[in-house]
């Protein structure tokens, strides 16, 4: 491919952000090429397991007809894990069992992204896989395309959307991606474990095509700053755990051991007992939040999805819908730029301007203080779970001791480990950033 074959839009990365941008722009009539480094779209993509489909429903209202969906998430459960057990709460609503199912499904990315890529091609996009993009083509200081590791790898285009993941080297080259500090980068590890469907339904208290999302906080990462999860698929479970790089180093933990310990925990082991490992994967997750976002655009270029840092690591654990929303708005901004034949930053700035009116940037802003709060509250992940376990366990131990006497004794003991002021301050800090 050479200058004589120029595209309207080049997209780097075949995850939810890139595929959404490709679908939107191609459907609007742009000549679109998407370059994916994996063998196929989805072959290298990793996430927990819930695909939030509110944006998918906007661009493809009938996607449920043939999309490879695993289960509808009708039950969500949050657990404060302790070294020996857990304290948990959950919700389950019949409403979520009805369309549109709260736009929450479990999926396996190798299947789902491949299907999504087919839909983008049907819309008119050209997708090339096995294409590693190393650099930009520049002429007189202006970006004119990208250089890919393949025959005829110089690909020219008016616009470029970078959706190439958490460690976007291309975005870094032009100052649109901040270096991720160890305290704000999560290493996530995950297994897909095969289990007969009847056991999944029984163990997770669901039926039919319904599914569950179990998310674990507190001591899930053995005291490091992190969390874990189990999501139910048709006949497999997605099981994983992650922690910030800095905290894992501090606790002298590696990600492989972290996952094995998580699976052996007395809360987790009965849920996965008898399962067979089918897949293993690891992934970096950006956790800098709104305050860590870089500039999202430049002349001829926009950045979307994980490459731009769009992950909501709060209690809601959203990412796929943020990626798709940024991809959709970037694709629409490319269409507007083509109509005006203006690809300067004055034109691409419409991408960020429009994002400010969407849930994606508004939610990122709402939870902007979460990363720093967690970084400065390591007691939430080791000290406090142990304290709470001791208090709740002893209060509910039936031993004949009067409850009032027991409560006074326990409070006195616990206040030797942490001041009441410390408890209250941490509780207020967490409440402000997760609700």
């Amino acid at each position: 491919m050479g200058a004589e074959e120029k595209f309207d839009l080049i997209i780097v990365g075949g995850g939810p952000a890139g595929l959404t941008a490709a679908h939107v722009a191609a459907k609007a009539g742009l000549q679109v090429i998407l370059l994916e480094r994996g063998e196929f779209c989805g072959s290298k993509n990793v996430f927990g397991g819930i695909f939030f489909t509110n944006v998918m429903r906007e661009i493809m209202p009938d996607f449920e007809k043939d999309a490879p969906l695993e289960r509808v998430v009708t039950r969500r459960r949050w657990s404060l894990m302790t070294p020996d057990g857990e304290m948990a709460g959950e919700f389950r609503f019949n409403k979520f069992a009805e369309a549109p199912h709260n736009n929450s499904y479990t999926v396996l990315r190798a299947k789902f992204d491949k299907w999504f890529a087919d839909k983008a091609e049907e819309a008119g996009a050209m997708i090339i896989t096995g294409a590693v993009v190393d650099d930009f083509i520049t002429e007189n200081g202006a970006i004119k395309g990208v250089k890919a590791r393949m025959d005829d790898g110089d690909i020219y285009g008016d616009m470029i959307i970078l959706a190439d993941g958490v460690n976007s080297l291309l975005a870094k080259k032009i100052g649109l991606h901040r270096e991720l500090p160890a305290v704000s980068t999560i290493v996530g590890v995950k297994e897909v474990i095969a289990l007969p469907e009847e056991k999944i339904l029984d163990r997770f208290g669901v039926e039919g095509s319904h599914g569950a999302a179990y998310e674990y906080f507190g001591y899930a990462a053995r005291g490091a700053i992190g969390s874990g999860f189990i999501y139910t698929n048709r006949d497999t479970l997605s099981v994983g755990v992650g922690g910030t790089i800095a905290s894992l180093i501090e606790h002298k933990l590696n990600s492989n051991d972290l996952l094995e310990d998580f699976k052996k925990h007395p809360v987790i082991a009965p849920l996965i007992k008898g399962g067979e490992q089918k897949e293993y994967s690891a992934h970096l997750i950006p956790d800098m939040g709104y305050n860590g976002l870089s500039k999202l655009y430049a002349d001829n270029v926009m950045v979307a999805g994980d490459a731009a840092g769009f992950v909501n690591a709060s209690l809601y654990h959203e990412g796929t819908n943020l990626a798709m929303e940024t991809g959709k708005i970037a694709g629409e901004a490319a269409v507007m730029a083509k109509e005006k034949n203006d690809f300067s930053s004055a034109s691409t700035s419409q991408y960020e301007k429009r994002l400010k009116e969407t849930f994606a940037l508004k939610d990122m802003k709402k939870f902007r203080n979460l990363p720093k709060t967690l970084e400065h509250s390591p007691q939430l992940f080791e000290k406090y779970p142990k304290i709470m376990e001791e208090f709740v366990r002893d209060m509910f131990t039936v031993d004949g001791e009067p409850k009032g006497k027991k409560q006074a004794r326990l409070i006195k003991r616990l206040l030797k480990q942490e001041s009441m002021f410390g408890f209250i301050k941490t509780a207020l800090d967490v409440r402000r950033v997760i609700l």
Side-chain angles (χ1 to χ4, degrees), residues 69 106 325 369 373:
L69 304 170
T106 56
E325 183 74 355
N369 294 321
T373 297

Side-chain angles (χ1 to χ4, degrees), residues 165-186:
V166 56
N167 193 32
S168 176
L169 299 179
L170 290 172
K172 287 180 181 179
K173 285 178 179 288
I174 55 175
L176 296 185
H177 187 86
R178 296 183 184 180
E179 288 291 342
L180 293 171
V183 295
S184 300
T185 307
I186 296 170

Side-chain angles (χ1 to χ4, degrees), residues 330-398:
E332 291 172 350
V335 173
M336 293 168 59
K338 179 64 178 179
E339 290 172 350
K340 296 186 296 184
N341 199 34
D342 178 4
F343 311 108
S344 68
S345 60
S347 181
T348 57
S349 67
Q350 292 301 308
Y351 166 53
E352 184 173 299
K353 183 177 179 180
R354 292 191 58 209
L355 268 182
K356 288 180 178 179
E357 301 304 315
T358 71
F359 76 91
L361 211 47
K362 287 181 179 180
D363 282 355
M364 291 289 291
K365 190 172 184 178
K366 175 176 173 57
F367 299 104
R368 64 189 178 277
N369 294 321
L370 177 63
K372 283 293 182 185
T373 297
L374 297 182
E375 177 189 340
H376 293 114
S377 305
Q379 66 271 23
L380 290 169
F381 301 89
E382 185 167 20
K383 183 179 181 180
Y384 281 12
K386 289 179 178 179
I387 289 175
M388 293 181 69
E389 176 182 34
E390 180 182 2
F391 184 84
V392 174
R393 184 189 63 228
D394 287 0
M395 279 300 298
F396 281 85
T397 295
V398 179

Side-chain angles (χ1 to χ4, degrees), residues 44-173:
K44 294 182 176 295
N45 295 341
V46 181
F47 85 138
I50 301 182
F51 204 104
F52 299 103
T53 57
N54 51 303
V55 183
M56 175 69 76
R57 199 173 297 281
E58 292 176 16
I59 67 170
M60 207 183 302
D62 60 349
F63 75 95
E64 289 157 307
K65 290 181 179 178
D66 61 351
L69 304 170
E70 293 292 312
R71 290 186 177 276
V72 176
V73 179
T74 57
R75 181 182 185 187
R76 293 197 69 174
R77 185 176 186 273
W78 293 269
S79 165
L80 178 67
M81 186 177 277
T82 71
D84 189 50
E86 66 172 342
M87 289 163 280
E90 67 173 83
F91 68 71
R92 180 180 354 199
F93 301 122
N94 289 336
K95 191 73 174 176
F96 291 168
E98 304 169 4
H101 304 299
N102 194 35
N103 289 306
S104 302
Y105 299 85
T106 56
V107 305
L108 297 171
R109 291 285 297 277
K111 297 179 181 179
F112 190 87
D113 289 9
K114 191 174 183 180
W115 168 86
F116 196 5
D118 289 342
K119 294 299 181 181
E121 287 183 317
E122 289 175 16
M126 176 188 295
I127 296 179
I128 298 179
T129 58
V132 178
V133 180
D134 293 313
D135 207 346
F136 296 102
I137 299 170
T138 58
E139 296 177 4
N140 299 320
I143 293 174
K144 298 294 183 181
V146 298
K147 294 178 177 290
R149 242 182 270 171
M150 58 187 215
D151 293 339
D152 297 324
D154 286 359
I155 301 172
Y156 290 81
D158 293 321
M159 299 282 294
I160 301 169
I161 293 175
L162 301 177
D164 48 339
V166 56
N167 193 32
S168 176
L169 299 179
L170 290 172
K172 287 180 181 179
K173 285 178 179 288

